[in-house]
Amino acid sequence: MKQEIHEAAAIVNTAMKQGRVFLNSRDEKDNTMIIGWGGVLQFWSKPVFLAPVRLSRYTHGPIAKTGYFTVSVPKEGELSGAAAFCGARSGRDFDKFKECNLTAVAGRSVPVPVIGECGLHIECRVLQRQELDLDQLDEDNRSRYYADGDTHTLFMGEILECYTT
């Protein structure tokens, strides 16, 4: 079923505040992580998902290399254990899909899976990526979030598919 973008944006924004938005990538293996920043927006007359990923995260490499990512959002109250695990452990060290019994389902339009146990899925092709310039960031946020210099790359992905299962 096709999900309206504005409805998806509301679901994503609520889920992000609750730490239950999975950002999925694929390179040598399927991987997922939890994101707490970003969301759905309109840019260049297109629906776009903004996915900030720290340079140090395992997920960064596959998205930068392939140019694709997906987002999966479970229904409220579901997959809280998987979200906690995936938000606290690196894909370098764990096969998160296996550890959390998550089903990798082929994306409809991109070569990256969605999580079968989730209800909302967004498939994206990267249009633009930009490393955050700490020199242009206000001092409060720079010292609060980037004292170690580990910045985010802002991946702006055109939403190719948005649907519920």
Side-chain angles (χ1 to χ4, degrees), residues 134-145:
L134 295 182
D135 291 334
Q136 299 299 315
L137 188 62
D138 70 292
E139 178 56 37
D140 180 50
N141 282 314
R142 185 172 49 243
S143 62
R144 183 174 181 188
Y145 297 109

Side-chain angles (χ1 to χ4, degrees), residues 120-136:
L120 173 65
H121 309 284
I122 300 172
E123 300 183 12
C124 301
R125 176 181 67 88
V126 175
L127 297 171
Q128 162 71 10
R129 67 181 189 200
Q130 183 69 46
E131 188 172 337
L132 192 63
D133 182 352
L134 295 182
D135 291 334
Q136 299 299 315

Side-chain angles (χ1 to χ4, degrees), residues 33-55:
M33 66 178 282
I34 299 298
I35 58 172
W37 298 348
V40 177
L41 54 102
Q42 188 77 17
F43 212 86
W44 301 303
S45 302
K46 299 176 184 190
V48 169
F49 193 97
L50 176 64
V53 181
R54 286 192 188 268
L55 294 169

Side-chain angles (χ1 to χ4, degrees), residues 32-84:
T32 189
M33 66 178 282
I34 299 298
I35 58 172
W37 298 348
V40 177
L41 54 102
Q42 188 77 17
F43 212 86
W44 301 303
S45 302
K46 299 176 184 190
V48 169
F49 193 97
L50 176 64
V53 181
R54 286 192 188 268
L55 294 169
S56 63
R57 300 295 185 243
Y58 178 75
T59 302
H60 187 280
I63 295 174
K65 180 179 176 182
T66 67
Y68 295 99
F69 64 87
T70 65
V71 175
S72 296
V73 182
K75 293 178 181 169
E76 194 157 352
E78 295 183 0
L79 297 180
S80 58

Side-chain angles (χ1 to χ4, degrees), residues 87-152:
R89 291 177 180 79
S90 174
R92 286 183 190 93
D93 305 320
F94 294 93
D95 179 337
K96 295 180 188 180
F97 277 82
K98 181 180 177 185
E99 294 288 332
C100 296
N101 296 313
L102 299 174
T103 306
V105 176
R108 295 179 179 179
S109 296
V110 301
V112 176
V114 297
I115 296 174
E117 292 75 15
C118 290
L120 173 65
H121 309 284
I122 300 172
E123 300 183 12
C124 301
R125 176 181 67 88
V126 175
L127 297 171
Q128 162 71 10
R129 67 181 189 200
Q130 183 69 46
E131 188 172 337
L132 192 63
D133 182 352
L134 295 182
D135 291 334
Q136 299 299 315
L137 188 62
D138 70 292
E139 178 56 37
D140 180 50
N141 282 314
R142 185 172 49 243
S143 62
R144 183 174 181 188
Y145 297 109
Y146 303 101
D148 63 358
D150 186 17
T151 64
H152 283 90

